[in-house]
Amino acid sequence: MGENDRMTQVEKAIIGLRGLVMSGEFDAGSRLPEVALAERLGVSRTPLRQAMDRLVSEGLLERIESGGCRVASFDLDDINDAIELRGVIEGTAARLAAERGVDAEVIADARGLLARIDEGISGPNSVDFDLYVRLNARFHDMLAQMAGSDLIRREVDRVCRHPLASPNAFLRGQEIIPDFLASLVRAQGQHHAIVDAIEAREGARAEALAREHARLARRNFRFLRDADPRLATRIPGLSLVTAQ
Amino acid sequence: MGENDRMTQVEKAIIGLRGLVMSGEFDAGSRLPEVALAERLGVSRTPLRQAMDRLVSEGLLERIESGGCRVASFDLDDINDAIELRGVIEGTAARLAAERGVDAEVIADARGLLARIDEGISGPNSVDFDLYVRLNARFHDMLAQMAGSDLIRREVDRVCRHPLASPNAFLRGQEIIPDFLASLVRAQGQHHAIVDAIEAREGARAEALAREHARLARRNFRFLRDADPRLATRIPGLSLVTAQ
DNA sequence: TGGTAGCCGAATGTATACACTGACGCGTAG
DNA sequence: CTACGCGTCAGTGTATACATTCGGCTACCA
C-alpha cells in the first residue's frame, strides 16, 4: 500500500483498531491490552492511546475507571438511539440547507449523483452493491455540506461514523433479504424527495424526510439480526450487539 | 486544592488549557506552542497533547495540517449554528423523554429544581446570579438524562460544553443589561413549559420548546456583543469572536 | 536588487523508559 | 477450611528522549 507512507501512525492505529474491534476480534466488554495491541498494529503505545481516545469518543470503546478501555457493547435500544440521533442531525442539515438555500449548481450535483444511483439499482437484475454503498456515502456527505456550516458538517460526519448507525451500516449482507432491492429503491426515493424539499425551500419537510430516511436503518438491522445468527461473525460490528 | 491530588494530569491539562484559551490568553488563530504550554500548566507534553485532542473535538482548537494546533475563531454564524445545534439536541432529549415517558419522581425532582430557581429570581430585587447559573446547568443536566439514553445524555453534554453555546455561555456579564431579569424570567417560563410538555407526553411541543429555549442564547450573545467592546477581555470566550 | 536554493533550528510526532496503582495469588492464622 | 493480609507483578499513566519535518534565514547567483 503506497499511501501507507503518507499515513500517520495515529491514523494507522485508528483504522487498524477500529477494524479489529468491528471484526469481532475482541469480545464485547473485554479489556484492550495496550502493549499487545501496539505490537500487533505496528505502532507504539503513544499513537495507539490516541486512537483509543478517538474510538472512545466515537462510542466504540468505553473507558474503565481503574484504567484502560474496554470494547463497548450495544443492545437494540442503543442502536435505535444512535439511528434516531443520526436522523435528527441529518434532518437538521437538510432543514438548514432548505431554509438557507443552496446554489443551483449544488442541487444539480446532487441530482447527478442520484441519477447514477438510479442507474445502479435499475440495472438488469444484478445490483452493483459496492457502487451503491459508495454513492450512498457520498450523498450523505453532500447533504452534510449543504447547510453551509462547518459545524453541522462535522457533526453529521460524526454521527455517520458511529459504528452502528452509519448510513451504510449493516447494508452489506442485505443481499440475503428477499425484497432487499425494494428497500434500496425506497431509500433512493427518499433521497430524491429530500433534494426536492431542499430545492423548494421546504425546511420542515426536508427535516422530516431525512429523519424518516434514517429509520430505514432500523429495518435493515432487524432483518439482519433475525436472519441468521451465523452472520454475526461476518458482518462488521454485529458481534458487538448483545441479545437485548 | 485538596482534590487536585485525585485529578489526573490529563484533566489538569484540559481544564487549564481550556481556561487559558477561553480567557483570551492567546489570540484567535494563533498557534499553541507545546513545550511552553506544558511547562506553564505543570504537565508533560503527553497529557497536554491529549488535552489538545479533546479541545479540538470540542471545537475550541483546530488542527493545523503541518502540525500542531491553533486557537479557533468564531463569527456570528458559527455561534448561531452552535446554538441551533444545542437546541436540536436538547429538543431531541425533551421529545424522547416525552415520548418514552419518565417516572413521576423525576418530574417531581425537576419541578423542585425549578421551584428553587423561581425563588432565586423572584426575590426582593437582587438576584443570586451564581445560584441561577448553577441551577440552570443542573436543569439542563436533568433534561439530558430524561430521555433515558446514555447516548443522548452524552451528546447533550457535548453540545452543552461547546464554548459558545452552553446554556450559561455569556450569561455572566448580563447584569449590565437593563431587562436582564426579564430575560431570566422568560427562560424560566420555558423551563416550566418543557417539563409540562414532557409530563403530558407531548413530544412535538417539548421539542419545539427546547429549540426555542436555546434561541435565547442568541439574544444574550448579541446584547453582550453590542453592549461594550471593553467587555471582550473580561467575558470568557468573547475574545475568540471575530467581527463577522 | 530580487529570487531561489540550501542549510540550520525549532517544534511536532513517535518511541521508549519510568513510576505507580490496582489486581491476583500465596501464605498464614483463626 | 476459610478468611484476611501481604507481596509480587502486570499494565496503565506520565515523563523524557529521539527522529523527522516544516519554516525561516542567509548566501549566492542571475
Side-chain angles (χ1 to χ4, degrees):
Chain A
M1 301 193 209
E3 59 185 0
N4 252 354
D5 305 336
R6 315 200 67 183
M7 199 189 298
T8 170
Q9 297 295 89
V10 176
E11 296 174 79
K12 195 170 155 188
I14 290 175
I15 295 175
L17 182 54
R18 192 190 283 132
L20 246 49
V21 172
M22 291 292 282
S23 76
E25 183 82 9
F26 303 96
D27 291 336
S30 66
R31 185 204 201 90
L32 294 180
E34 294 185 0
V35 279
L37 262 182
E39 189 175 2
R40 179 164 183 178
L41 294 174
V43 299
S44 82
R45 278 182 59 217
T46 307
L48 171 64
R49 285 170 61 82
Q50 290 180 257
M52 289 167 85
D53 281 345
R54 172 71 164 268
L55 295 194
V56 165
S57 83
E58 286 182 11
L60 200 59
L61 302 181
E62 293 171 348
R63 208 161 284 294
I64 305 177
E65 317 73 40
S66 66
C69 290
R70 69 163 60 104
V71 177
S73 69
F74 304 91
D75 60 18
L76 186 58
D77 286 339
D78 292 328
I79 294 173
N80 285 340
D81 287 342
I83 291 170
E84 183 78 23
L85 182 69
R86 174 165 70 85
V88 166
I89 299 289
E90 288 190 326
T92 299
R95 174 172 62 86
L96 292 179
E99 289 173 353
R100 298 171 178 180
V102 297
D103 289 347
E105 185 190 350
V106 175
I107 294 285
D109 283 351
R111 286 254 157 75
L113 182 61
L114 292 183
R116 291 176 61 193
I117 299 181
D118 280 331
E119 286 178 36
I121 62 177
S122 64
N125 54 6
S126 76
V127 177
D128 188 339
F129 208 67
D130 283 344
L131 182 71
Y132 178 83
V133 167
R134 233 176 311 130
L135 295 183
N136 186 42
R138 274 192 54 191
F139 176 77
H140 285 263
D141 274 351
M142 288 190 63
L143 186 60
Q145 292 178 228
M146 282 195 206
S149 157
D150 266 3
L151 178 66
I152 299 297
R153 188 188 50 69
R154 277 207 313 270
E155 289 298 313
V156 174
D157 283 348
R158 245 181 60 82
V159 293
C160 283
R161 254 202 318 270
H162 194 100
L164 305 176
S166 110
N168 287 325
F170 305 129
L171 216 52
R172 283 170 212 278
Q174 293 281 16
E175 301 93 328
I176 58 168
I177 295 178
D179 50 6
F180 127 83
L181 178 60
S183 171
L184 290 194
V185 171
R186 207 167 124 195
Q188 173 70 349
Q190 291 175 327
H191 289 164
H192 280 290
I194 290 171
V195 174
D196 289 344
I198 291 174
E199 186 178 28
R201 312 292 291 265
E202 298 171 337
R205 180 167 174 248
E207 178 167 12
L209 283 166
R211 282 195 190 184
E212 194 59 29
H213 181 57
R215 282 279 181 139
L216 280 184
R218 282 198 184 195
R219 270 172 49 103
N220 289 344
F221 171 69
R222 250 178 294 130
F223 264 124
L224 212 55
R225 178 120 187 92
D226 301 340
D228 188 347
R230 285 180 304 126
L231 279 175
T233 59
R234 296 180 48 195
I235 307 294
L238 209 53
S239 60
L240 306 180
V241 180
T242 65
Q244 191 64 347
Chain B
M1 310 186 218
E3 59 185 0
N4 251 354
D5 305 336
R6 315 200 68 183
M7 199 189 299
T8 170
Q9 296 296 89
V10 177
E11 295 174 80
K12 194 169 157 188
I14 290 175
I15 294 175
L17 182 54
R18 190 191 285 133
L20 244 50
V21 173
M22 291 292 282
S23 76
E25 184 82 9
F26 303 95
D27 292 336
S30 65
R31 185 206 200 89
L32 293 181
E34 294 185 0
V35 279
L37 262 182
E39 189 175 3
R40 179 164 182 180
L41 293 174
V43 300
S44 83
R45 277 183 60 218
T46 308
L48 172 65
R49 285 171 61 82
Q50 290 180 257
M52 289 166 84
D53 281 345
R54 172 70 165 268
L55 295 194
V56 165
S57 82
E58 285 182 12
L60 200 58
L61 302 181
E62 293 171 348
R63 209 161 286 293
I64 305 178
E65 317 72 41
S66 66
C69 290
R70 70 162 63 103
V71 177
S73 69
F74 304 90
D75 60 17
L76 187 58
D77 287 339
D78 293 327
I79 294 174
N80 285 341
D81 287 342
I83 291 170
E84 183 78 22
L85 182 69
R86 174 165 70 85
V88 167
I89 300 290
E90 287 190 325
T92 299
R95 173 173 63 85
L96 293 180
E99 289 172 354
R100 298 171 178 180
V102 297
D103 290 347
E105 187 191 348
V106 175
I107 295 285
D109 282 351
R111 288 255 156 74
L113 182 61
L114 292 184
R116 290 176 60 192
I117 299 182
D118 280 331
E119 285 177 36
I121 63 178
S122 65
N125 55 5
S126 76
V127 177
D128 188 339
F129 207 67
D130 283 345
L131 181 71
Y132 179 83
V133 166
R134 234 175 309 133
L135 295 183
N136 186 42
R138 275 192 53 190
F139 176 77
H140 285 263
D141 275 350
M142 287 191 64
L143 186 61
Q145 293 179 225
M146 282 196 207
S149 157
D150 264 5
L151 178 66
I152 299 297
R153 188 187 49 69
R154 277 207 313 270
E155 289 299 312
V156 174
D157 284 348
R158 246 181 60 82
V159 293
C160 283
R161 254 202 316 269
H162 195 100
L164 305 177
S166 110
N168 288 324
F170 304 130
L171 217 51
R172 282 168 213 281
Q174 292 282 16
E175 300 93 327
I176 58 167
I177 296 177
D179 50 6
F180 127 85
L181 179 60
S183 172
L184 290 193
V185 171
R186 207 167 124 196
Q188 172 70 351
Q190 291 174 327
H191 289 163
H192 280 290
I194 290 171
V195 174
D196 288 345
I198 291 174
E199 186 178 28
R201 314 291 291 264
E202 297 171 337
R205 180 167 175 248
E207 178 167 14
L209 282 167
R211 282 197 189 183
E212 194 60 29
H213 181 57
R215 282 280 182 138
L216 280 184
R218 283 199 184 194
R219 270 171 49 104
N220 289 343
F221 171 69
R222 250 179 294 129
F223 264 125
L224 211 55
R225 178 124 187 88
D226 301 340
D228 187 347
R230 286 180 302 126
L231 279 176
T233 58
R234 295 181 47 195
I235 307 294
L238 209 53
S239 60
L240 306 180
V241 179
T242 65
Q244 191 62 347

